Amino acid sequence: MKAVINTRNKKGKISRHIYGHFSEHLGRCIYGGYWVGEDSPIPNVNGIRTDIVEAMKAIKVPNIRWPGGCFADDYNWMDGIGPKETRPPIVNTHWGGVLENNHFGTHEFMDLCEQVGCEPYICGNVGSGTVREMRNWVEYLTDDGNSPMAQLRRKNGRDRAWNIQFFGIGNENWGCGGYMKAEYYANEFRRYATYVRNYREMGKTNWWEVPPLIKIAGGANVEDLQWTETLMREAGRFMGGLSVHCYISPGEESHGTVFSKKSWYQTAVNTLKKESLLKQNMSIMDYYDPEKRVLLAVDEWGIWVDNEPGTNPGFLYQQNTMRSAMSAALMLHIFQKYPERIRLCNLAQTINVLQAIILTEGARMVKTPTYHVFDLFKNHQDSYYIPAEWDEKPETIQMGLPNADISASCRDNGNIFVTIVNLSADNKAEIVLNFAGKKAKSAKGGFISGEVTAHNTFDNPDTVHVRELSDIRIVDGEVLLGLLPCEIAAVEVEFE
Ligand code: AHR
């Protein structure tokens, strides 16, 4: 199979924010995940686990969405500030009915983002909260002046306001966020959004130089085009972003680690089908917003398999295999194709929940195969998308799938970065990369591979890990690669 990558076809910049993550107060994502508390024997900074922060820094996590999900529309941010002993415990009604002690609140989340070096993406409460609660939260976060909320923040130990680039106005308000109708939510969005003000801009003569606060409307399940249509029509001009949620089913064989190759292929089919749904949402957006001012935020996505046997069903603790990694790689390839519109995405969810990148058990931590995809793909962040065109078309394998899936981008230093998935679980794939007249000088990179069910456990944490590409050579300026069955590879190419 030969793919032609022509730098003259360079398209828009792939926002690093499509490599974002989502962390909800759900199961052991926050407590038992990030948060161990200041007195824990597990190494931490201000109660936040150091090994997790280091792992997230290593893959250049650009943003984290928090505090939910469904939890966001039942959350009063005021419960999570001030001295920990005075914070009221609440019941986490959505997720297992467990007691939430509110020890991880606004300051802890912002500290986490600062430690990781990423942007916060906060989701406000429309379902059960008030406009005043939301406006006050934004004042608390962004006002450097002397407003009541800025003073309260200082009393709680933080002098400077934070910079907030992304703010969500509710979550799944067609479902757990209030079971609203689209027209009703569109009105609510307009009302709430009016009072979400960026205090950092206020009174500034150079306000246009201040990074904007992007207000993101709670969007549809990717299949609900009527929601997208109504929101864009009724409220599009008030929003900076519109979200959609995009969960992938593995098909009939939904066990986390026990399944056949058929499920690998079915998952690939189910994942690739999401592209046409995303395109349908984007064409509605194009109609109302041809300038592409409003970003599409796929702010919850990922494969949803069975919970691990014996775990709390409300905790969504799931294992993660090469099948999950392949699905993530295909989705990231899809997002990259639409850099002008898809500018924010969040994998659900970072630690111990759904398609986690990290699993923990006490002091032990494991990186999942999906983590390694984010590691392999990180050089696409902020590079320029280049459509790779198959010269010799990949042959069709099972279920009508192409043999391989590819995505390319051009980095600021002129190198081309390519990621490739061998969709065959049975055969090797021989790939040729051609650069339309440019001659490759060097090519190197990494890969993961394994059986479709291969995964990492606390006893065997490195069954799936990144290895250096060895089956790679340059012939006449083209790069020749041999990919093992199920292999996901990343190659960086330098030119003469
Ligand atoms: O990610 C788990 C849940 O899935 C989120 O809380 C909700 O938004 C979605 O339905």
Side-chain angles (χ1 to χ4, degrees), residues 22 24 26 69-70 95 171-172 245 247 300 304 349 354:
F22 167 42
E24 181 168 9
L26 193 177
C70 296
W95 305 117
N171 168 76
E172 293 194 356
H245 288 177
Y247 285 105
E300 287 186 30
W304 194 308
Q349 299 194 6
L354 296 173

Side-chain angles (χ1 to χ4, degrees), residues 190-266:
R190 291 166 65 132
R191 191 163 72 101
Y192 277 74
T194 307
Y195 302 96
V196 169
R197 299 188 175 108
N198 190 1
Y199 281 76
R200 298 179 73 91
E201 282 175 10
M202 266 175 229
K204 299 259 165 63
T205 45
N206 60 340
W207 55 268
W208 62 88
E209 284 171 16
V210 178
L213 190 163
I214 299 172
K215 301 172 197 181
I216 295 161
N221 172 322
V222 72
E223 281 157 24
D224 183 357
L225 300 173
Q226 189 259 334
W227 182 276
T228 299
E229 164 80 36
T230 309
L231 264 280
M232 285 306 294
R233 188 182 65 235
E234 302 295 332
R237 67 196 168 93
F238 299 96
M239 60 179 78
L242 175 63
S243 97
V244 287
H245 288 177
C246 195
Y247 285 105
I248 297 132
S249 155
E252 279 167 20
E253 296 182 67
S254 53
H255 193 284
T257 53
V258 183
F259 51 87
S260 68
K261 282 182 186 170
K262 191 174 157 211
S263 174
W264 162 275
Y265 293 116
Q266 188 60 58

Side-chain angles (χ1 to χ4, degrees), residues 42 57 102 105 110 119 128 137 169 183-184 242 285 348 379-380 433 436 438 458 469 475-476 478 488:
I42 299 172
K57 277 162 77 171
N102 276 308
M110 298 306 291
E119 298 291 333
S128 69
W137 198 3
I169 316 265
E183 285 79 7
Y184 181 82
L242 175 63
M285 295 180 79
N379 287 355
H380 279 308
L433 304 177
K438 286 182 97 172
F458 296 99
L469 278 173
V475 178
D476 293 336
E478 295 185 324
I488 302 171

Side-chain angles (χ1 to χ4, degrees), residues 50-115:
T50 306
D51 53 358
I52 288 181
V53 169
E54 290 309 319
M56 291 177 76
K57 277 162 77 171
I59 57 169
K60 299 200 165 122
V61 167
N63 70 74
I64 306 172
R65 177 173 182 253
W66 173 86
C70 296
F71 181 80
D73 279 292
D74 206 10
Y75 180 63
N76 186 341
W77 68 276
M78 296 284 276
D79 293 342
I81 56 169
K84 297 213 172 53
E85 55 290 0
T86 63
R87 299 186 192 179
I90 57 165
V91 176
N92 190 333
T93 51
H94 283 290
W95 305 117
V98 293
L99 215 58
E100 154 71 57
N101 64 17
N102 276 308
H103 283 190
F104 190 92
T106 300
H107 289 252
E108 291 74 21
F109 173 64
M110 298 306 291
D111 186 19
L112 166 68
C113 291
E114 285 180 345
Q115 289 189 37

Side-chain angles (χ1 to χ4, degrees), residues 47 142 216 268 337 366 411:
T142 66
I216 295 161
K337 281 191 193 173
V366 156
R411 304 194 64 201

